[in-house]
Amino acid sequence: MIFKILKIEEDVDYGCEERREDEPVMAVVTLQDEDDLEKTVKMPDQLLYDREIQEGDQVFFDEAGSLQKQIQGDWTNWCRKEDIDTSKFVSKIEALREGQDVLWICPFCGGQVSLLEQDGSRTVIGCEFCDMRICLENQSL
């Protein structure tokens, strides 16, 4: 599910104690879902800076439960600038090809990526909610 960031504020509520030195600075993020319902979550402030997440951005929760900015425009440019773990990407594809359940969140819409189609000559992996597709030719040995 895609959320719009309405507000980002520094988390200053640590109860009657101060924030411990080993705890990250947290931000309170107010989100609005597609039904205009609001919810508030706490995220590490540095994560928001690292992912360039700002008020007004469209975001979703990734596999780790952290906010991730929705990819806009040319996704190939995004992949080139990001530090993509290709071995993890290939492992997910192979696991899906073998029929395993894989937690893989679509970077475009926040939906679930899964095995959509497989026959003798090709495999289609994609999002169940948007048109993101990876088509693979199956090669016989």
Side-chain angles (χ1 to χ4, degrees), residues 8-11 24-29 41-45 48:
I8 300 174
E9 300 176 304
E10 183 179 350
D11 182 19
V25 174
M26 299 296 281
V28 177
V29 182
V41 297
K42 289 185 180 183
M43 286 285 142
D45 196 48
L48 300 176

Side-chain angles (χ1 to χ4, degrees), residues 111-127:
Q112 175 65 34
V113 177
S114 63
L115 177 66
L116 298 177
E117 187 181 322
Q118 189 170 36
D119 63 30
S121 63
R122 73 181 199 137
T123 298
V124 179
I125 294 169
C127 180

Side-chain angles (χ1 to χ4, degrees), residues 38-72:
E38 292 183 17
K39 76 185 247 178
T40 304
V41 297
K42 289 185 180 183
M43 286 285 142
D45 196 48
Q46 191 61 50
L47 176 127
L48 300 176
Y49 281 110
D50 292 346
R51 296 183 176 183
E52 300 176 3
I53 295 174
Q54 302 173 14
E55 290 180 1
D57 284 344
Q58 302 290 318
V59 297
F60 58 90
F61 290 93
D62 65 14
E63 293 91 344
S66 298
L67 289 177
Q68 180 67 49
K69 197 173 193 175
Q70 180 183 21
I71 296 175
Q72 300 288 326

Side-chain angles (χ1 to χ4, degrees), residues 71-84:
I71 296 175
Q72 300 288 326
D74 185 353
W75 66 273
T76 56
N77 286 334
W78 178 84
C79 289
R80 283 187 197 112
K81 85 172 192 168
E82 294 294 316
D83 185 20
I84 304 297

